[in-house]
Amino acid sequence: YVCTVYVMHHIAKYLDYVPDKMVGMIIGKGGEQITRLQQDSGCKIQMAPDSGGQPVRMCTLTGSDAAIAQVCI
């Protein structure tokens, strides 16, 4: 398990792994869920396009500490 946080100019980048089976739920139908999460929090959410056969995918959250915390709750 790896979690990395980078902070530059008050913008943080949080890298974490998400179970591959949960990615569809996070993205939602037509991307509706991930779009809503981004709009509500102000945090950019990026999911790795492929798990490479692994049971997890890399997820990158970019934004202020408060925006990232809102997505992680």
Side-chain angles (χ1 to χ4, degrees):
Y1 180 78
V2 175
C3 170
T4 307
V5 178
Y6 301 97
V7 179
M8 180 179 260
H9 305 293
H10 304 287
I11 300 296
K13 183 174 273 195
Y14 177 83
L15 307 173
D16 205 351
Y17 289 100
V18 173
D20 197 43
K21 62 184 177 184
M22 298 292 291
V23 172
M25 188 173 75
I26 293 168
I27 295 173
K29 185 177 180 180
E32 291 176 5
Q33 180 69 8
I34 198 167
T35 299
R36 186 184 60 77
L37 285 168
Q38 291 179 114
Q39 289 174 345
D40 291 351
S41 68
C43 179
K44 183 176 180 180
I45 304 167
Q46 293 177 286
M47 301 299 297
D50 190 288
S51 65
Q54 299 298 312
V56 293
R57 273 199 223 184
M58 178 66 73
C59 176
T60 305
L61 305 176
T62 306
S64 67
D65 290 338
I68 291 172
Q70 188 173 352
V71 171
C72 292
I73 292 176

